[in-house]
C-alpha cells in the first residue's frame, strides 16, 4: 500500500512548479534582456568633451566654416575614427573665439554664409552676422552658439546638437 498522502502530493506538485519555474526563468530572463537590451542603454557614443578644431591663429575676424571631426565614435558593434559630426562657423572677436553651429535650427539643413548673412537654402531662413534671425524665414531661433575656447594656441570646440524647430535651445 502506498503512503502518498495529500501532503506529499501537494509538496511534489509545488516542488515541480517551483523547479519548472526556476528553470524557465533561468532561460527566459537572459533571452529577454538580450531582446530589450538596446532600448535602455546609450548605443552610440559621441564625444561630449571639447574637440580640437585647429590652430587659433588660423581664424580671422570673419566667419570661417570648419568641419567638426570626432577622433572616435562608438556604437554597440563598431568604433569609427575621424567622424565628421557637422560643421561650425568660427571667428575671433575682440581676441576671443566665437562659434556658431552650421545646422539650421529649423529642420537641420546646412547653413551657408555670404560674408554678411547666414542663409539656409532649404526654406529660406536667414540669420544676421551674430546668428540672430532676420527676415521672415521659418526658423524659430537664431543659429546655435557653441562653446569654444583657446587652449595652448589650439581651438577647442564642444559640439552640441539642439532640438530643431523650437524657440528654445534644448540639447537633442
Ligand atoms: S531647414 Fe533651414 S529654413 Fe528650413
Amino acid at each position: 500500500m502506498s503512503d502518498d498522502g495529500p501532503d506529499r502530493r501537494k509538496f511534489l506538485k509545488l516542488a515541480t512548479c517551483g523547479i519548472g519555474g526556476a528553470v524557465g526563468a533561468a532561460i527566459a530572463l537572459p533571452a529577454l534582456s538580450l531582446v530589450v537590451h538596446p532600448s535602455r542603454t546609450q548605443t552610440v557614443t559621441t564625444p561630449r568633451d571639447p574637440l580640437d578644431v585647429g590652430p587659433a591663429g588660423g581664424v580671422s575676424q570673419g566667419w570661417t566654416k570648419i568641419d567638426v571631426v570626432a577622433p572616435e565614435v562608438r556604437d554597440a558593434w563598431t568604433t569609427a575614427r575621424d567622424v565628421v559630426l557637422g560643421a561650425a562657423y568660427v571667428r575671433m572677436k575682440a581676441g576671443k573665439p566665437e562659434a556658431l553651429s552650421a545646422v539650421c535650427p529649423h529642420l537641420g539643413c546646412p547653413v551657408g554664409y555670404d560674408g554678411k548673412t547666414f542663409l539656409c537654402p532649404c526654406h529660406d531662413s536667414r540669420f544676421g552676422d551674430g546668428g540672430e534671425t532676420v527676415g521672415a524665414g521659418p526658423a524659430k531661433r537664431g543659429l546655435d552658439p557653441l562653446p569654444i575656447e583657446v587652449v595652448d594656441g589650439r581651438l577647442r570646440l564642444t559640439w552640441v546638437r539642439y532640438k530643431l524647430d523650437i524657440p528654445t535651445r534644448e540639447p537633442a
Side-chain angles (χ1 to χ4, degrees), residues 44 78 80 99 109 130 159:
V44 177
T78 59
C109 286
W159 179 247

Side-chain angles (χ1 to χ4, degrees), residues 104 106-109 120 122-125 138:
C104 178
H106 177 223
L107 295 178
C109 286
C120 180
C122 291
H123 310 101
D124 204 26
S125 281

Side-chain angles (χ1 to χ4, degrees), residues 106-130:
H106 177 223
L107 295 178
C109 286
V111 169
Y113 182 63
D114 67 5
K116 284 185 184 164
T117 308
F118 295 96
L119 170 67
C120 180
C122 291
H123 310 101
D124 204 26
S125 281
R126 289 164 193 264
F127 308 90
D129 197 56

Side-chain angles (χ1 to χ4, degrees), residues 5-29:
D7 286 348
R8 182 180 162 133
R9 265 185 262 130
K10 196 174 173 187
F11 169 75
L12 288 174
K13 206 187 226 179
L14 285 173
T16 305
C17 285
I19 292 170
V23 169
I27 295 169
L29 288 178

Side-chain angles (χ1 to χ4, degrees), residues 37-57:
H37 166 67
S39 67
R40 294 180 137 195
T41 56
Q42 185 183 14
T43 54
V44 177
T45 309
T46 51
R48 294 177 190 276
D49 295 331
L51 299 164
D52 187 316
V53 291

